[in-house]
Amino acid sequence: MSRDEQLRRAAYEEMEKHKDVVEKDPYRLHYHLMPTVGLLNDPNGFIQFKGTYHVYYQWMPFKTGHGAKFWGHYSSNDFVNWTHEEIALTPSEWYEKNGCYSGSAIEHDGKIYAYYTGNVKDEEGNRETYQCLAISEESLHFDKRGPVVHLPDGFTAHFRDPKVWEQDGAFFMVVGAQTRELKGAVALFRSDDLENWDYQGVLTGGGEGRLADFGYMFECPDLFPLGERDILIFSPQGIEASGMKYQNVYQAGYVAGQFDSATGTFEHGEFEELDRGFDFYAPQTTLDDKGRRILFAWMSVPDQNEQDHPTIEHKWLHTMTLPRELKLVDGKVRQVPLEEMEDLRVGPAIQVNVELNRETRVLKAVKGKAFEMEITDLSMTEGWFDLTVGDGIRFVYSSGEQTVTLERKSYVNGVVEKRQCSVKQLNSLRVFVDTSSIEVFVNEGEETFTARFYPSPNNDTVRFETSHQAVFTIRKWDLKHVNLK
């Protein structure tokens, strides 16, 4: 039996072994992508291929910790009903023996060309990395072609997460990197045939320009046009907190500018965070046949109290965000739930017109463990507005301070922790709750907050409170419990 077959068999045995204990977890989600067992992290190879959407992902089936990762695989025709496909990549070859790390996919000549980082470590922990290619004719079985990009001069072995696209008659690749001076950077490559790649230089970071001293590592770069700008998404590590910004261990965000494919240069503005919550990292996008730029992200942050999640005892950890469409509005990236998320709704909306005046109210019709809620036509003269879900998470808008705040009770020590950003005026909220996750879209995606939280399993209340007068309309839907086949 080959090494690949051994790893596949062992992973499937682990799935079957722990299936019951995983499914008995009260914090298991209803409509998000999760691992069948073990740990899930970065979305990989997100692509629409022959009409079907494919989300590959970093997967460790043997424990709820990191290690020699596989590429797991989900597919869907509608973003609502998902099929858990067989394993796409296993760390079976010498150039990937310590993990098939993150990467991307592109369609060419009717095939999927998947690029990923092969991770290799020796007994002392010294690392080697290779950017590798695997090709599939039908999205399920991949023919590994091995390394196609080796480490250029000037970088440490922290060199990973290739993202590939076609533009102006050529193919380009960006790779997350760390220079020998321990500066975060994005490296750029060019190819005419998807197999032979030429290093073009540092696209941004690396001790120069606007991102000259912006952390010690950039992960998961993704460069694409949006509106009339080019957007570079990446996840910098080593950024110090500054006021309300950069509060997580690592960040995820973007810069907007103009990429010149002829010269390989990218002039851009300042870094902006994509999400203001506790749990959002390693986003990846794709363009579908409707012209939409769609994003998935990992609903967590590496090295951020991972082993303290209550799901650990049930042998699984982490989830993906909802798929989101990106739009450029007044030069800023906005995220909104895909229109397909409306197909998760069960029955007609419950609509309630609410007027609160220095009071707290629990609405019997507005509760649940898996639901979508819209709050519109919000009118406040002064003071603050408070929305609390279960006994685990609280969203507050302060009109005086012009800030929105997401608070949760830490699952590590029970202490209340918060994330914030500035919003001049709160007009609307769209909230998705899924047992132990929340995604809040403020003012039609002007800001987003994503977080895991762990309320008492029998508490499904939603509480509203105001310091002064507030008038608003609520529309609420229960959402389907989607079985991941």
Side-chain angles (χ1 to χ4, degrees):
M1 184 185 300
S2 70
R3 177 62 175 160
D4 178 80
E5 292 170 330
Q6 291 174 358
L7 289 169
R8 289 173 184 272
R9 178 173 294 185
Y12 293 135
E13 288 175 351
E14 198 74 9
M15 289 167 52
E16 191 62 30
K17 177 181 176 182
H18 296 297
K19 180 179 179 180
D20 290 342
V21 68
V22 169
E23 294 302 327
K24 287 179 181 178
D25 188 355
Y27 295 124
R28 196 81 169 144
L29 304 174
H30 286 205
Y31 53 89
H32 285 77
L33 296 181
M34 304 170 288
T36 53
V37 70
L39 178 143
L40 167 152
N41 57 301
D42 306 3
N44 296 157
F46 180 28
I47 191 172
Q48 185 186 30
F49 179 67
K50 298 181 179 179
T52 298
Y53 296 97
H54 299 270
V55 181
Y56 304 90
Y57 60 92
Q58 290 286 277
W59 183 36
M60 167 45 65
F62 305 119
K63 60 181 180 179
T64 53
H66 296 276
K69 300 290 179 60
F70 293 57
W71 271 32
H73 181 194
Y74 277 108
S75 70
S76 177
N77 293 319
D78 58 10
F79 285 106
V80 172
N81 301 289
W82 292 89
T83 299
H84 192 239
E85 305 285 5
E86 60 184 276
I87 295 166
L89 297 175
T90 68
S92 58
E93 304 295 335
W94 67 265
Y95 49 80
E96 59 186 11
K97 69 184 184 70
N98 295 105
C100 298
Y101 276 15
S102 292
S104 62
I106 185 173
E107 182 177 354
H108 179 64
D109 288 341
K111 302 175 184 178
I112 292 179
Y113 282 62
Y115 295 86
Y116 65 100
T117 299
N119 185 46
V120 178
K121 293 181 181 178
D122 64 20
E123 293 181 358
E124 285 74 40
N126 298 310
R127 184 191 300 264
E128 296 176 2
T129 53
Y130 305 91
Q131 312 316 309
C132 305
L133 169 64
I135 299 176
S136 176
E137 296 188 0
E138 26 68 329
S139 78
L140 301 177
H141 306 97
F142 284 84
D143 175 23
K144 293 179 182 178
R145 301 296 178 89
V148 293
V149 172
H150 294 264
L151 185 66
D153 290 338
F155 297 96
T156 74
H158 289 286
F159 193 84
R160 52 183 174 265
D161 313 332
K163 182 70 192 301
V164 175
W165 74 99
E166 185 177 7
Q167 181 176 341
D168 300 328
F171 300 100
F172 294 89
M173 174 194 292
V174 283
V175 181
Q178 179 186 71
T179 68
R180 288 179 181 169
E181 294 74 33
L182 306 185
K183 303 291 186 181
V186 174
L188 178 69
F189 294 81
R190 185 185 186 280
S191 174
D192 293 322
D193 60 7
L194 288 173
E195 296 197 29
N196 298 285
W197 292 89
D198 296 320
Y199 175 55
Q200 304 293 293
V202 171
L203 185 69
T204 191
E208 298 182 3
R210 289 182 181 271
L211 303 177
D213 192 22
F214 201 68
Y216 56 77
M217 176 67 193
F218 293 173
E219 291 195 311
C220 303
D222 187 351
L223 181 61
F224 54 87
L226 190 67
E228 296 182 353
R229 308 298 298 278
D230 293 312
I231 305 298
L232 175 67
I233 287 177
F234 64 102
S235 296
Q237 299 182 337
I239 308 301
E240 293 186 5
S242 176
M244 291 184 286
K245 298 191 299 184
Y246 316 145
Q247 292 294 314
N248 292 327
V249 175
Y250 305 129
Q251 319 311 318
Y254 70 95
V255 292
Q258 296 295 328
F259 172 65
D260 187 329
S261 63
T263 62
T265 57
F266 181 48
E267 299 294 330
H268 61 78
E270 300 294 331
F271 180 82
E272 296 281 346
E273 289 180 273
L274 271 168
D275 192 278
R276 308 293 184 170
F278 297 92
D279 297 291
F280 182 97
Y281 195 75
Q284 185 172 105
T285 74
T286 197
L287 185 69
D288 77 350
D289 59 14
K290 297 179 181 179
R292 301 180 298 180
R293 179 61 59 173
I294 304 172
L295 175 148
F296 270 102
W298 172 30
M299 199 186 295
S300 189
V301 175
D303 304 331
Q304 188 163 284
N305 304 316
E306 285 188 294
Q307 296 307 307
D308 291 303
H309 283 265
T311 65
I312 293 288
E313 62 183 275
H314 287 271
K315 305 296 183 181
W316 73 281
L317 183 62
H318 299 320
T319 177
M320 294 293 178
T321 64
L322 288 177
R324 306 169 180 188
E325 183 178 359
L326 301 186
K327 300 176 181 289
L328 192 68
V329 180
D330 296 328
K332 182 175 179 178
V333 174
R334 292 195 178 198
Q335 301 175 72
V336 294
L338 281 191
E339 61 180 355
E340 286 91 336
M341 297 303 95
E342 296 180 8
D343 294 331
L344 288 167
R345 296 169 179 172
V346 178
I350 295 170
Q351 182 165 320
V352 184
N353 298 318
V354 182
E355 181 176 348
L356 299 179
N357 195 351
R358 302 177 186 270
E359 61 182 303
T360 301
R361 189 179 301 177
V362 175
L363 304 173
K364 292 183 179 180
V366 181
K367 63 179 183 178
K369 303 295 287 184
F371 64 88
E372 175 192 351
M373 178 171 59
E374 288 184 343
I375 295 177
T376 57
D377 304 320
L378 178 62
S379 175
M380 294 174 56
T381 55
E382 57 182 320
W384 48 262
F385 165 83
D386 174 328
L387 163 66
T388 301
V389 178
D391 54 6
I393 204 148
R394 177 174 179 248
F395 182 88
V396 183
Y397 170 65
S398 171
S399 61
E401 297 180 0
Q402 294 186 332
T403 60
V404 287
T405 302
L406 189 70
E407 294 182 347
R408 73 176 176 191
K409 185 185 295 183
S410 169
Y411 50 84
V412 179
N413 55 23
V415 174
V416 174
E417 52 188 353
K418 67 182 180 181
R419 297 289 185 267
Q420 295 179 289
C421 71
S422 298
V423 171
K424 289 184 178 180
Q425 182 174 340
L426 180 63
N427 301 312
S428 67
L429 292 174
R430 192 172 176 191
V431 181
F432 286 81
V433 172
D434 193 356
T435 66
S436 59
S437 75
I438 187 169
E439 290 164 85
V440 183
F441 299 85
V442 179
N443 292 346
E444 298 182 347
E446 176 185 341
E447 299 288 355
T448 63
F449 287 79
T450 301
R452 298 297 302 279
F453 73 108
Y454 298 98
S456 301
N458 60 351
N459 190 334
D460 62 357
T461 61
V462 179
R463 187 176 74 244
F464 303 89
E465 185 177 0
T466 60
S467 64
H468 292 73
Q469 186 182 52
V471 177
F472 53 93
T473 298
I474 298 172
R475 299 175 73 210
K476 180 257 183 180
W477 297 264
D478 289 328
L479 300 184
K480 295 177 183 177
H481 191 161
V482 178
N483 292 317
L484 303 176
K485 298 178 184 178

